[in-house]
Amino acid sequence: AARGYRFVNTAASQAGAALSYNGFSYKSGLSEPNTTVSSNTFRAQADASHRFDAGATLTAAVDYMYAGLKSPLFDAEAQKQNISAFRAKAGVSGGRRIAYGIAIDYSHFGLGKDITSRYGVNIAPASDDRFGINGKASFAMGHEGKTSLSIGLGADFLKATGFRPGQYDVSPTDETSGILTVNPALQYGGKNASVKIGAIINFGVNSPDKVFHIAPDVTLCWTPSGAFDAYVTADGGERFNDLRWQYEQSVFAPGATASTRSFTKLRSRIGFNAHLFNDFRIGAFAGYGYVNNLPVYALTLRGADATGSALLPLIFATERAKSWYFGGNIGYDFRRYASISAEGRYYTK
């Protein structure tokens, strides 16, 4: 359920707020106790924007979330868990021949209850405090301004508190690290083609891995007509897989482990889309991806040692992953009333 209201809605200014709730509860038919899984999430959001006469636009948004969870996948002591999360961001953008944008972002995401390890030791609940600032400037070149040179700069810092899984137990961690990013690119936009050639350069601060990483930032698109387009993309970069990211994978995932970071060496795709018989469309694509320290779910066994103590049953383990994939899509548009589509993918191991 959700309800929102736009308090201000003019050509230059907008402001609004929204409240939402979603939840579910499931009880297994198994004879064992503590088999109830439930989630109740409340969220409040507000945003505002204003465009000045000079052309600059100022935006701001805040978001608060509270979630009450219950799951046997948490440790044996704490079947229940709660999450409190807050995020605030603001930015300004504008310009024509020289376009610019700058934004700041603060986020807090924390669990409310201690985690009990297999030896009965209470570990402080996991929490993240994350602060980022990003800026970008783009300089149009030539009389028509079809070509531009851009540079993006970013700083992303994360203070992560929680625990990391070991071979037999978990250990607490409290660390602060950062990712500095430089993103230069040359872009061209014509009538039937667009090209972007750039790079994503990352510098790690207090990084557990390499300090320096580089990945491509490339997009090629050809549109000879409105009925056909072909494209090639390649990008990557380093990122934090924080508790908020874990929550997006599963509402129960933040109970698994502290935040991690991964580096995508390459994420590429090549494909085409064709519109046939007016409302019928078809496409095909292929790609390759290579990620270091990709978080994946790992189930562990309870009572794995002689003491019979409970080991945390769900954790995130980091793995190196690389794979080719192939796929296609098909769809049909019923004019402005509805559309139907399907997509399939095949991944190599």
Side-chain angles (χ1 to χ4, degrees):
R3 185 69 176 177
Y5 185 75
R6 184 63 63 182
F7 303 104
V8 179
N9 190 13
T10 67
S13 302
Q14 292 189 337
L19 298 173
S20 64
Y21 163 80
N22 65 73
F24 64 85
S25 180
Y26 170 78
K27 184 173 178 61
S28 170
L30 298 176
S31 59
E32 296 183 7
N34 300 324
T35 55
T36 298
V37 177
S38 64
S39 169
N40 294 281
T41 303
F42 301 87
R43 171 166 278 167
Q45 300 167 285
D47 67 89
S49 66
H50 178 74
R51 187 177 70 252
F52 297 93
D53 294 337
T57 300
L58 178 67
T59 61
V62 293
D63 184 332
Y64 175 77
M65 182 194 76
Y66 177 86
L69 310 172
K70 184 177 182 181
S71 170
L73 289 181
F74 294 128
D75 61 82
E77 297 288 335
Q79 294 290 318
K80 296 182 179 180
Q81 188 59 267
N82 59 68
I83 295 174
S84 181
F86 172 79
R87 186 174 187 179
K89 55 184 178 180
V92 61
S93 61
R96 295 182 180 177
R97 296 285 297 184
I98 302 178
Y100 64 89
I102 186 169
I104 57 174
D105 190 339
Y106 169 76
S107 172
H108 171 80
F109 194 104
L111 278 70
K113 297 181 181 294
D114 288 354
I115 303 296
T116 304
S117 75
R118 65 187 298 187
Y119 296 112
V121 178
N122 285 349
I123 300 174
S127 67
D128 283 344
D129 287 284
R130 187 171 176 179
F131 175 79
I133 180 168
N134 298 277
K136 183 178 181 179
S138 179
F139 308 89
M141 299 184 295
H143 177 70
E144 297 181 349
K146 293 182 178 180
T147 303
S148 63
L149 179 65
S150 65
I151 182 71
L153 302 173
D156 192 3
F157 291 92
L158 173 68
K159 176 177 172 57
T161 302
F163 59 91
R164 300 197 186 283
Q167 184 176 2
Y168 299 108
D169 199 14
V170 295
S171 58
T173 182
D174 186 349
E175 60 188 24
T176 300
S177 60
I179 300 173
L180 307 179
T181 302
V182 181
N183 179 208
L186 179 66
Q187 301 177 75
Y188 168 81
K191 180 180 179 180
N192 301 116
S194 60
V195 179
K196 179 183 180 183
I197 305 295
I200 300 173
I201 305 169
N202 299 123
F203 301 90
V205 179
N206 193 24
S207 173
D209 199 358
K210 294 181 179 180
V211 174
F212 176 78
H213 287 116
I214 186 169
D217 185 15
V218 176
T219 301
L220 308 175
C221 185
W222 180 49
T223 54
S225 70
F228 180 85
D229 67 82
Y231 59 89
V232 176
T233 64
D235 60 13
E238 190 171 13
R239 57 162 292 164
F240 287 118
N241 303 304
D242 58 10
L243 296 176
R244 189 181 294 273
W245 176 87
Q246 293 182 27
Y247 181 84
E248 292 172 354
Q249 312 310 305
S250 167
V251 296
F252 304 105
T257 186
S259 296
T260 62
R261 59 201 291 168
S262 61
F263 171 62
T264 301
K265 286 188 174 183
L266 178 64
R267 181 178 58 182
S268 61
R269 177 163 168 159
I270 181 172
F272 74 88
N273 296 290
H275 294 262
L276 308 174
F277 314 116
N278 295 326
D279 300 318
F280 179 74
R281 63 184 186 276
I282 189 171
F285 53 85
Y288 177 78
Y290 190 148
V291 184
N292 281 336
N293 298 324
L294 175 69
V296 295
Y297 287 117
L299 293 176
T300 62
L301 299 175
R302 289 185 178 275
D305 66 347
T307 66
S309 299
L311 182 66
L312 290 171
L314 174 65
I315 62 173
F316 267 121
T318 56
E319 298 287 345
R320 177 179 298 177
K322 54 184 177 180
S323 174
W324 288 91
Y325 67 91
F326 307 90
N329 55 74
I330 190 172
Y332 186 82
D333 295 322
F334 297 92
R335 303 296 178 179
R336 59 181 180 178
Y337 302 105
S339 64
I340 185 171
S341 63
E343 179 177 302
R345 296 190 183 192
Y346 171 77
Y347 291 86
T348 65
K349 295 181 179 181

